[in-house]
Amino acid sequence: VLLAAWWGASAAGMFPTGTVPSPDAVGRAFIEEVRAGRLGTDVVASLYRVAFGYVGACLTAIPLGLVLGRSATSRAALLPWVNFFRTLSPIAWIPFAIIWFGIGDPPAIFIIFLATFFQLALATAAASAAVPKVYYRVAEDLGLRDDEVLFQVTLPAILPQLLTALRVAIGVAWMVVVAAEMIAVRSGLGFLIIDARNGLRMDLVVVGMITIGAIGVLLDVVFARLARARAVRWGFER
């Protein structure tokens, strides 16, 4: 219905010239970008930056969250700072990212890292702190070592909540990379949109928007399917 309304409004000339492209113009622009190889290059560039920033945040934020969840002293000392930086918009860091890292992949990866790090750390801390104390008493009675408690008690207990946090974080990372690419780099889907806008190619702007939305949906579907794995399915069932 939305596509038909868009098509009808374009055919009737309801949009001022040069503002909203028609669906057929967007289709032609999409084919043009695919044939030239530019769209594929931009998609790969954006996914590359998201992968590095997101994985880096996971590898550092989850251990920090586990410490915060298990240690009251650490929570009292560090949690206010985690909350403070979590509320800062990642876009506010762009001037510093450019000064520190220059133009290219590093500043965009840094922005993605910040956007997901504090969110994941807080979610992991909340999930870890909510693990029933009786689990740890049983582990102590069984004589489990610290590493065994981590991998056999804590991580399995928080995995459903952690997966939800990872699913939300990947969506945030994907949105942030587009904003970072509009300022700090000269490739990627964000750069495609800003470059097309500067050239008054609104059809290419819409191509970039549709591609971003489609990949975002695909990433969300991938993480949603992970919730069906046997190791975490119990946390999502009644």
Side-chain angles (χ1 to χ4, degrees):
V1 171
L2 289 174
L3 181 60
W6 176 20
W7 207 308
S10 298
M14 297 178 63
F15 302 121
T17 303
T19 56
V20 180
S22 63
D24 55 328
V26 173
R28 289 193 299 270
F30 181 83
I31 294 173
E32 171 191 335
E33 290 295 295
V34 170
R35 287 179 175 174
R38 291 188 294 266
L39 186 60
T41 300
D42 287 333
V43 168
V44 170
S46 295
L47 289 175
Y48 167 82
R49 292 166 188 138
V50 168
F52 267 82
Y54 182 74
V55 171
C58 291
L59 293 177
T60 52
I62 292 175
L64 175 62
L66 291 172
V67 172
L68 294 177
R70 295 284 291 130
S71 171
T73 303
S74 298
R75 281 199 302 275
L78 299 177
L79 200 58
W81 292 104
V82 173
N83 271 314
F84 173 80
F85 285 107
R86 182 182 63 88
T87 58
L88 290 178
S89 170
I91 308 304
W93 289 94
I94 287 181
F96 290 103
I98 294 176
I99 292 174
W100 293 340
F101 302 106
I103 300 297
D105 291 336
I109 292 172
F110 175 72
I111 295 300
I112 296 165
F113 175 87
L114 289 179
T116 53
F117 175 84
F118 298 105
Q119 180 180 347
L120 283 175
L122 194 62
T124 305
S128 180
V131 176
K133 298 295 187 293
V134 66
Y135 290 6
Y136 297 110
R137 296 196 191 102
V138 172
E140 184 179 357
D141 291 341
L142 293 174
L144 298 183
R145 302 187 307 271
D146 289 343
D147 59 327
E148 292 176 326
V149 171
L150 174 63
F151 289 104
Q152 298 182 27
V153 178
T154 305
L155 287 179
I158 71 170
L159 202 52
Q161 297 94 321
L162 182 59
L163 183 60
T164 299
L166 291 172
R167 182 180 177 183
V168 173
I170 191 64
V172 172
W174 186 242
M175 288 189 294
V176 168
V177 72
V178 173
E181 287 173 344
M182 290 183 176
I183 302 171
V185 298
R186 298 189 62 81
S187 62
L189 294 171
F191 176 76
L192 168 65
I193 290 178
I194 200 69
D195 189 54
R197 185 209 66 179
N198 293 337
L200 299 179
R201 288 290 307 274
M202 302 308 294
D203 51 348
L204 287 180
V205 172
V206 177
V207 167
M209 293 172 63
I210 293 175
T211 305
I212 290 166
I215 294 176
V217 170
L218 180 61
L219 291 173
D220 187 71
V221 168
V222 170
F223 277 82
R225 287 186 177 276
L226 291 177
R228 301 178 185 178
R230 182 175 299 178
V232 296
R233 190 166 51 199
W234 62 270
F236 299 96
E237 293 178 347
R238 292 182 181 273

